Amino acid sequence: MTDHRRASIEMDKAEFKKIGYQLIDSIADFIDSIPEKKVTTGEPPKALQAILGNDTLPENGTPAETIFAKASELLFNHSLLNGHPKFFGYITSSAAPVGALADLLAAAVNPNVGANILSPMATEIEKQTVKWLAEFIGVPSSYGGILVSGGNMANFTAFLAARTVKAPKSIKENGISMDAQKLLVYCAKSTHTWIEKAAVLFGIGTKAIRWIETGADNRMNIEVLAQTISDDKKAGYKPIIVVGNAGDVSTGVVDDMKAIAAVCKKYDLWFHIDGAYGIPAAVIPGLKDLFAGIEEADSIALDPHKWLYSPLEAGCTLVKDPNHLIETYSSHPVYYNFSSDEPSTQNYYEYGLQNSRGFRALKVWIALQQVGRSGYEKMIGDDIALSKLLFDLANDHPELEAVTQNLSITTLRYIPSKDIEEMYLNKLNEALVNKLQQDGEVFLSNAVVNDKYCLRCCIVNFRTSKKDIEEVIEILVREGRKMHNELQEQTVLK
Ligand SMILES: *Cc1c(COP(=O)(O)O)cnc(C)c1O
């Protein structure tokens, strides 16, 4: 070894600038070109594997410039572009460009936001981000919490805190023993699949989920909820959590939060809200009534990488009494010298499941300042208005059936003519979704609403405009007709 080490992974300042400027230039061109591109190329994995090549692990290095040129080409030209104005699939937003720059900045400084001492300013910024997110949705800024990777993790983080608080106190030490009272959780049958993973992960088992039926309005039936809890208690079970949906994943329905809160109060249960998709819409003053009661939640999951347009990944858990997170997650091994006499010191490893943590708060913090509360109110409001426009245009079209519209999710079907049997319509619309997802003109997903197989458009996309929605109607009708003809021909040929 020489006195002055120059590791091969190091970059000198001039090289970093050169490659960095080139990369920023090509990213700027890419973002600018997104609307002209297809939403997806529809290339199958085999084709992509051929393009990528199957070289073995490189023995020696390649100049970074070459690798970035190759990586950019691969990603720019062979990706699904959720930043495309006609991307409405699942719940994935277009990503704010400031998010890409923020991630670059976060990675450059690389604070480990697990411990205050390792991330002094980043910890304060994350605390402020959590506080702002609480203010954003309109709950008191005394809620505390933590940034996590997404909605699933945000729900898990809250779920375990709830279990710690509401299950017998011995559970942290003894685990869930066979002879203990069986713990139960309650949620609407439209709840996202995270709840099943949570039931498995935290040991209560999927049979401990009571799926509460929904009414004609697709909201959780509160009478059935209260009755089920009461029956379960009489039968010797131990109910612990009720989950309310603030924007369910299929149709965007918001449960009656006030009513759920009242049931939780009556039976001494933890009230958790899954707001991964929809709760940012609480920023809109006109939707105050829809979200009334959210401030009574013990915990809330939300997802900046959905309706706050953060690049992946960013989720957030908010907890009314953040001490419950510490009760659940804190431990003090001898190898951590992280305690401090300063009472406002916060070590994020004690607030959740992760230990070493990246600085995902930065991109959220920056975007919140770039546009402010009012900027988000406008963008979220526009997304909702466009979703309503889609519903209305479908409603007016003789070959489309508008099925549901809540928040920014519209479900609809292609219907070639009246008096067509439901089974065929389901088959036709399923084939249509699959075809559209391959073609790349528009990207939407599916939902099953009252046994109807629907096309589902979720607009969490600040690039979508009125013209896109009008064009989508044309595309759906044109492709619907084609698919109907194809299916008819197949039947004739048989
Ligand atoms: C998306 C979503 C989740 C899961 O969030 P991820 O960020 O994908 O982990 C959970 N609940 C609801 C209601 C969602 O919309």
Side-chain angles (χ1 to χ4, degrees):
M1 274 251 236
T2 53
D3 282 359
H4 296 284
R5 184 173 175 198
R6 209 291 183 183
S8 54
I9 207 158
E10 185 58 281
M11 258 187 187
D12 63 29
K13 191 163 116 182
E15 189 189 8
F16 190 89
K17 283 190 181 182
K18 180 167 173 246
I19 295 175
Y21 291 150
Q22 279 172 1
L23 183 64
I24 294 291
D25 281 347
S26 61
I27 291 172
D29 290 343
F30 162 70
I31 293 176
D32 193 51
S33 74
I34 289 176
E36 277 76 58
K37 286 176 137 56
K38 281 181 145 197
V39 186
T40 180
T41 60
E43 294 159 296
K46 271 241 164 347
L48 295 171
Q49 285 153 16
I51 291 165
L52 184 61
N54 66 347
D55 297 349
T56 53
L57 173 72
E59 174 62 22
N60 298 308
T62 304
E65 191 175 355
T66 312
I67 310 165
F68 274 106
K70 178 177 166 184
S72 306
E73 195 282 320
L74 289 173
L75 289 167
F76 294 163
N77 297 320
H78 305 280
S79 292
L80 175 134
L81 306 177
N82 47 38
H84 192 285
K86 288 196 183 69
F87 177 85
F88 312 120
Y90 306 100
I91 310 178
T92 304
S93 64
S94 44
V98 287
L101 297 174
D103 269 352
L104 177 63
L105 176 58
V109 179
N110 198 33
N112 183 339
V113 200
N116 193 307
I117 196 173
L118 301 176
S119 56
M121 182 47 82
T123 293
E124 296 308 320
I125 289 178
E126 179 155 347
K127 275 158 72 175
Q128 190 165 68
T129 307
V130 167
K131 184 170 139 293
W132 284 353
L133 288 173
E135 288 172 22
F136 189 105
I137 62 169
V139 300
S141 50
S142 52
Y143 275 73
I146 182 168
L147 274 281
V148 294
S149 58
N152 264 33
M153 286 303 297
N155 283 307
F156 295 164
T157 304
F159 191 101
L160 191 59
R163 200 195 71 172
T164 305
V165 174
K166 295 297 181 186
K169 288 297 162 230
S170 61
I171 199 165
K172 249 186 109 170
E173 290 75 32
N174 298 342
I176 295 177
S177 51
M178 299 294 284
D179 50 296
Q181 261 185 312
K182 179 88 178 122
L183 306 177
L184 296 178
V185 302
Y186 301 78
C187 63
K189 71 181 199 315
S190 50
T191 302
H192 185 276
T193 108
W194 72 266
I195 188 90
E196 290 169 280
K197 285 191 185 174
V200 174
L201 185 57
F202 301 123
I204 64 170
T206 53
K207 284 187 181 158
I209 305 170
R210 292 283 194 254
W211 299 96
I212 304 300
E213 65 184 62
T214 46
D217 57 359
N218 288 321
R219 292 169 121 193
M220 188 191 316
N221 184 321
I222 302 297
E223 268 131 57
V224 174
L225 171 69
Q227 191 60 52
T228 310
I229 293 169
S230 160
D231 292 349
D232 284 338
K233 283 184 89 118
K234 277 185 207 136
Y237 292 106
K238 174 128 186 75
I240 54 171
I241 307 171
V242 181
V243 178
N245 286 313
D248 87 82
V249 62
S250 285
T251 62
V253 159
V254 179
D255 284 327
D256 184 341
M257 297 304 174
K258 275 209 153 130
I260 296 177
V263 170
C264 287
K265 212 164 262 160
K266 177 166 177 198
Y267 294 102
D268 188 28
L269 308 182
W270 183 279
F271 174 25
H272 173 69
I273 295 178
D274 179 5
Y277 155 55
I279 214 161
V283 78
I284 296 179
L287 296 181
K288 226 177 156 67
D289 288 349
L290 185 66
F291 290 96
I294 61 171
E295 70 290 346
E296 296 190 51
D298 294 297
S299 58
I300 298 171
L302 69 139
D303 233 356
H305 70 206
K306 286 180 173 168
W307 223 346
L308 299 185
Y309 317 105
S310 276
L312 297 161
E313 303 166 340
C316 178
T317 304
L318 294 174
V319 179
K320 182 169 249 166
D321 180 353
N323 287 318
H324 292 321
L325 291 176
I326 296 178
E327 264 171 65
T328 307
Y329 295 109
S330 180
S331 62
H332 293 273
V334 289
Y335 48 80
Y336 280 171
N337 178 29
F338 293 155
S339 316
S340 161
D341 297 334
E342 167 66 45
S344 69
T345 302
Q346 183 164 326
N347 294 312
Y348 270 109
Y349 86 93
E350 298 180 279
Y351 280 69
L353 290 154
Q354 269 187 290
N355 192 58
S356 293
R357 300 176 66 252
F359 190 18
R360 51 171 67 92
L362 184 64
K363 58 193 168 194
V364 181
W365 186 78
I366 287 178
L368 286 170
Q369 294 171 84
Q370 185 202 11
V371 300
R373 199 204 56 79
S374 64
Y376 273 109
E377 183 189 328
K378 172 87 171 79
M379 292 187 289
I380 292 172
D382 285 349
D383 285 344
I384 293 173
L386 289 168
S387 173
K388 286 186 172 149
L389 174 67
L390 179 64
F391 184 89
D392 291 342
L393 292 178
N395 209 21
D396 291 344
H397 199 290
E399 286 168 69
L400 294 172
E401 179 192 6
V403 180
T404 63
Q405 202 292 315
N406 296 285
L407 296 181
S408 68
I409 299 179
T410 297
T411 62
L412 68 165
R413 296 198 293 181
Y414 177 71
I415 297 194
S417 54
K418 297 227 154 46
D419 309 324
I420 292 194
E421 56 166 314
E422 284 297 316
M423 237 172 58
Y424 176 76
L425 284 180
N426 284 350
K427 188 177 155 194
L428 171 61
N429 281 281
E430 186 174 359
L432 185 54
V433 169
N434 289 331
K435 172 82 171 25
L436 292 167
Q437 286 193 346
Q438 288 300 310
D439 279 0
E441 238 185 320
V442 54
F443 196 100
L444 38 76
S445 52
N446 64 292
V448 178
V449 184
N450 301 325
D451 298 327
K452 292 178 181 177
Y453 194 100
C454 295
L455 314 178
R456 170 183 169 285
C457 291
C458 175
I459 306 177
V460 282
N461 192 336
F462 58 85
R463 294 211 175 92
T464 305
S465 61
K466 188 165 168 263
K467 181 164 160 284
D468 294 302
I469 299 299
E470 289 162 359
E471 286 168 3
V472 164
I473 291 285
E474 286 168 25
I475 295 167
L476 295 184
V477 172
R478 184 217 318 138
E479 293 302 317
R481 282 178 192 159
K482 264 200 234 167
M483 185 55 68
H484 175 54
N485 287 340
E486 257 175 54
L487 293 181
Q488 294 299 103
E489 276 166 26
Q490 280 173 18
T491 328
V492 175
L493 289 178
K494 266 186 212 158

